[in-house]
Every structure is written in structure tokens, then in C-alpha cells.
Amino acid sequence: DTEVTQTPKHLVMGMTNKKSLKCEQHMGHRAMYWYKQKAKKPPELMFVYSYEKLSINESVPSRFSPECPNSSLLNLHLHALQPEDSALYLCASSQDHRKETQYFGPGTRLLVL
Amino acid sequence: AQSVTQLDSHVSVSEGTPVLLRCNYSSSYSPSLFWYVQHPNKGLQLLLKYTSAATLVKGINGFEAEFKKSETSFHLTKPSAHMSDAAEYFCVVVTSGTYKYIFGTGTRLKVLA
């Protein structure tokens, strides 16, 4: 099973709201990733967690706050977002950060009004 | 530094005809290369990967790719296109050291009936 699940599928939020995106995998993977994808563009890496510790932050604004409560779960907390943050947010996982094959979830389509 | 170039932003083929999606890479060492497919409003699905084993790599859904070091290419092919192949295709090279994905800009495949 190479399934990564993400909830919710769609999210609409105002600029003053606080919301969270959730990602889950049960493949025993120890690396998890958040990507942001704008329309007609490739995904852009935001964060990497390795063994539940943040290992890479690609200079992402602090209004995005990742959290890895355990090895199966990855959250992305959103606060005071801007309309330009509207995008598809993809989660991925890999066996560990040095094992290169990443498996992607279906994404959360976020609209910030 | 590693990089990847997808030579065509759009490719149109008729159903039942061959598919060729082109990808060239730049890497100072033997790279790991991937092809992913993304159907509209979906996540990325792994098609195939090259990790220095056989140079001809077979993937899912009848796709295959050939690693050619002399040409620094990793083109994706399929003998006979199906309507369900219409999607965005991304070529990916993995950076050394940080193991980050470097995405190509994508090729949108259109399959005509």
C-alpha cells in the first residue's frame, strides 16, 4: 500500500482564519514533505520532516506552521494567510529522507478570500 | 548543481499513436530520475524511476523511459496513447546531499480521439 491521505480535499478560508491541513501515511515512512503547487506550475517544496524533526524549511513565511506529532501524521497550520497563498497543497512521504522515492497524497485545494 | 529540462510544454497525440515526452537533465554525478503523472486536480502518481540499475526502465500503464548518459536524457515513451493518458507529466531529478526533488516545468499531454 503506497497511500498518503490528505484532509480536507477543499478548504476556503478568510485572511483572519486559522485552519489546519492534515496528512497521514501508514507505510512506516520516516520522512514527510509539504509542497505548494500553483496552477500550471510544478510543486514547490515547503518543509521536510525526518524522523519527526523539521530538517528543511524552504524559507516559508511564518503564517505556515508545520507539525509532525508522530511518524504517521503531518499537519500544516495556517494563520493569517493571503489570497496569493491559494494553491494545491501536497503532502508526500518517503521511507526516509535519503530514500528518494516520494509518494504523494491527492492534495488539499486551498482558497483564501 | 542538478537541473532538469522538459523540452515541450504541450504535446498532442492521437489515440493509439506513440507518445514521446522529452526530458534532459544536468548532474555532476549519476542521478536518480523519476517521471510522475498528475491528472487534473489530483496528486502526483509515480510512473517510473531510474536509480542506476537498468537503463531501460519500465513503469506503470505501459510507460517506459530510457536513461542515456551520453545524451543526458531520460525521455518517457508509450507505444499507444489512451484517452486516460491525458495529464500533466513531470520529470524529476534528485539533488545530491539534500535529496530534494528538482521538478521540470511539466509537459501537458493531450490525447485526441
Side-chain angles (χ1 to χ4, degrees):
Chain A
D1 182 14
T2 56
E3 187 178 28
V4 175
T5 59
Q6 291 186 243
T7 53
K9 289 186 179 179
H10 302 274
L11 180 62
V12 180
M13 61 186 291
M15 290 188 285
T16 58
N17 292 159
K18 286 185 180 180
K19 297 286 185 183
S20 296
L21 310 185
K22 179 180 173 181
C23 173
E24 201 160 6
Q25 56 87 16
H26 295 287
M27 296 178 278
H29 289 176
R30 302 310 298 271
M32 296 185 77
Y33 310 77
W34 280 116
Y35 288 86
K36 174 183 177 180
Q37 186 180 25
K38 302 285 279 184
K40 302 186 188 303
K41 298 289 187 184
E44 300 172 6
L45 182 65
M46 300 175 72
F47 302 103
V48 180
Y49 272 82
S50 179
Y51 291 84
E52 295 115 68
K53 293 191 187 314
L54 183 65
S55 62
I56 294 177
N57 177 342
E58 292 287 275
S59 302
V60 179
S62 59
R63 58 185 183 268
F64 295 91
S65 175
E67 178 195 21
C68 190
N70 59 59
S71 60
S72 300
L73 191 56
L74 184 67
N75 298 319
L76 185 63
H77 303 297
L78 314 173
H79 174 54
L81 294 193
Q82 303 297 309
E84 59 264 29
D85 297 321
S86 299
L88 181 68
Y89 287 84
L90 295 164
C91 174
S93 71
S94 62
Q95 190 173 341
D96 71 35
H97 186 37
R98 294 173 186 271
K99 299 294 184 186
E100 297 154 335
T101 306
Q102 294 181 26
Y103 298 92
F104 286 80
T108 293
R109 177 74 59 189
L110 174 66
L111 177 62
V112 182
L113 299 176
Chain B
Q2 291 79 36
S3 67
V4 64
T5 302
Q6 291 184 244
L7 297 157
D8 306 293
S9 59
H10 293 83
V11 170
S12 291
V13 300
S14 297
E15 192 176 22
T17 64
V19 176
L20 170 64
L21 305 183
R22 299 183 293 166
C23 173
N24 284 96
Y25 70 91
S26 172
S27 178
S28 56
Y29 69 107
S30 183
S32 293
L33 294 158
F34 299 79
W35 277 100
Y36 282 84
V37 61
Q38 186 175 32
H39 288 90
N41 299 311
K42 301 288 186 185
L44 277 71
Q45 181 183 20
L46 177 66
L47 278 178
L48 49 81
K49 62 181 180 181
Y50 169 76
T51 53
S52 74
T55 56
L56 183 62
V57 182
K58 293 189 183 299
I60 63 170
N61 300 335
F63 284 94
E64 62 181 39
E66 187 171 8
F67 175 75
K68 291 187 177 180
K69 186 175 180 179
S70 60
E71 298 176 11
T72 61
S73 68
F74 189 57
H75 300 334
L76 183 70
T77 60
K78 183 174 181 177
S80 176
H82 191 271
M83 295 299 287
S84 60
D85 295 327
E88 188 85 19
Y89 291 78
F90 292 100
C91 183
V92 175
V93 67
V94 179
T95 62
S96 62
T98 59
Y99 301 93
K100 292 188 211 179
Y101 271 18
I102 303 295
F103 285 85
T105 50
T107 299
R108 181 162 297 274
L109 176 65
K110 187 174 181 179
V111 181
L112 306 170

